[in-house]
Amino acid sequence: PLAFYSRLIGVYPYKKLANVQSRTIYGGLENAGAIFYAENSVTGLGQAGRLIAHEIAHQWFGDCVTENDWHHVWLSEGFATYLTSLYFESVEGKERLASEMIRSRNQIIKYSEENHRPVIDTAIINLMDLLSVNSYQKGGWILHMLRSETGDEDFIKGLRLYYERFKNSNAISSDFQNAMEEASGKDLGRFFGQWLYLPGQPELKIWQKAVKKSGTTEIYIEQEQDTLFEFNLELLIKDSLGERVERIFVKDRLTKIKVQ
């Protein structure tokens, strides 16, 4: 992971990296230059790969670039979570990334059923409560969606720009947004506003209806949650033109498209 992150983001920011197995109340604690792992976390059986990759990613985001306000802790934990997935993608391919994202998506949906809170939740007073699925898994998913929004090249460009601009310093989410907008040339205000400050996620009802008169099929996409989101939805469509993945922009309560 160390070599991968150094290529992806920037040169490792410290003189050394010690991985220490010791006493800690956490599975891993990302001290700058010296990561502490719980006594029984690393067994030599190859089961701690995700933990080690996560903690090493923190050397860049969490240690070298630290959030200026703990309510923006997703800038540490979401980043380390998604960078871990990117590392596994580089080693094992797109299928591993897909399985990582499905796994975290299921955790996000389950968590939101009992905790209808935004990622940046200033109502939380006990800062330990910020260490949740929202900061880790949902934070990672926000980066995954941002990558799709900007494209791989601009996503990496923005990540590097943000790191270079704030290394050995502090930042908040708007600083990251500014870097990504500069790198991509896109207005990402709506993107960051809805995914960071609105609770929950789209709850979709999708159905289709054949139109015999025209020989077409209408596909309906309905957002059932109270607050509307704007997002791109990829649908696998099979029609007279063959099988394809179509990207549909959804912003209204009800979206309708026609296929042959």
Side-chain angles (χ1 to χ4, degrees):
L2 183 65
F4 171 72
Y5 298 144
S6 295
R7 293 192 303 270
L8 182 72
I9 306 162
V11 176
Y12 177 68
Y14 304 110
K15 290 184 178 180
K16 66 175 180 63
L17 176 61
N19 289 282
V20 183
Q21 202 159 1
S22 182
R23 287 185 177 272
T24 173
I25 63 173
Y26 306 103
L29 185 60
E30 66 275 16
N31 307 292
I35 301 169
F36 279 33
Y37 301 91
E39 286 181 295
N40 298 320
S41 60
V42 182
T43 62
L45 300 176
Q47 299 173 334
R50 180 180 283 106
L51 171 65
I52 293 171
H54 181 99
E55 301 306 332
I56 291 177
H58 271 313
Q59 299 296 299
W60 284 264
F61 298 110
D63 292 336
C64 192
V65 179
T66 306
E67 56 272 21
N68 197 41
D69 181 329
W70 286 116
H71 291 98
H72 295 249
V73 72
W74 82 281
L75 293 172
S76 291
E77 299 303 348
F79 276 50
T81 298
Y82 191 56
L83 285 173
T84 298
S85 297
L86 290 183
Y87 167 69
F88 284 126
E89 178 187 18
S90 74
V91 174
E92 300 180 30
K94 294 287 186 181
E95 294 79 10
R96 176 59 188 268
L97 175 65
S99 68
E100 290 278 315
M101 302 317 297
I102 290 170
R103 176 177 175 270
S104 61
R105 182 183 65 190
N106 292 337
Q107 292 173 303
I108 293 164
I109 293 172
K110 183 178 180 181
Y111 179 81
S112 69
E113 290 173 354
E114 298 180 359
N115 302 273
H116 196 61
R117 293 177 172 276
V119 171
I120 297 179
D121 187 357
T122 56
I124 291 179
I125 298 174
N126 181 358
L127 299 183
M128 290 299 292
D129 291 341
L130 293 170
L131 300 178
S132 69
V133 168
N134 267 356
S135 297
Y136 286 75
Q137 285 81 6
K138 190 169 183 178
W141 252 100
I142 289 171
L143 292 176
H144 189 55
M145 292 186 292
L146 182 60
R147 177 184 176 186
S148 177
E149 185 77 19
T150 62
D152 284 6
E153 185 176 340
D154 285 342
F155 177 73
I156 299 303
K157 181 181 175 183
L159 203 62
R160 289 172 176 170
L161 176 62
Y162 169 65
Y163 172 72
E164 185 63 30
R165 186 170 287 169
F166 293 99
K167 66 181 180 181
N168 299 316
S169 185
N170 305 99
I172 58 175
S173 299
S174 59
D175 295 317
F176 177 55
Q177 177 184 333
N178 291 339
M180 294 305 304
E181 288 182 336
E182 187 173 329
S184 66
K186 290 188 172 185
D187 181 352
L188 297 170
R190 176 65 179 174
F191 178 92
F192 279 91
Q194 66 182 11
W195 297 119
L196 290 177
Y197 293 95
L198 292 181
Q201 54 278 325
E203 298 170 16
L204 304 181
K205 180 181 179 182
I206 302 175
W207 72 94
Q208 63 185 36
K209 183 176 69 175
V211 182
K212 294 181 180 179
K213 187 176 181 180
S214 60
T216 61
T217 298
E218 294 177 342
I219 298 176
Y220 295 85
I221 304 161
E222 181 180 2
Q223 296 196 58
E224 294 189 305
Q225 76 285 348
D226 293 335
T227 305
L228 297 180
F229 285 78
E230 294 183 9
F231 57 96
N232 288 304
L233 177 68
E234 292 186 348
L235 284 182
L236 177 63
I237 295 176
K238 299 178 182 179
D239 59 13
S240 60
L241 301 176
E243 182 177 302
R244 67 190 185 279
V245 174
E246 192 161 317
R247 203 178 202 206
I248 301 158
F249 180 63
V250 176
K251 66 180 180 65
D252 300 318
R253 177 66 64 188
L254 186 65
T255 301
K256 181 179 75 172
I257 64 169
K258 288 185 178 182
V259 297
Q260 298 297 320

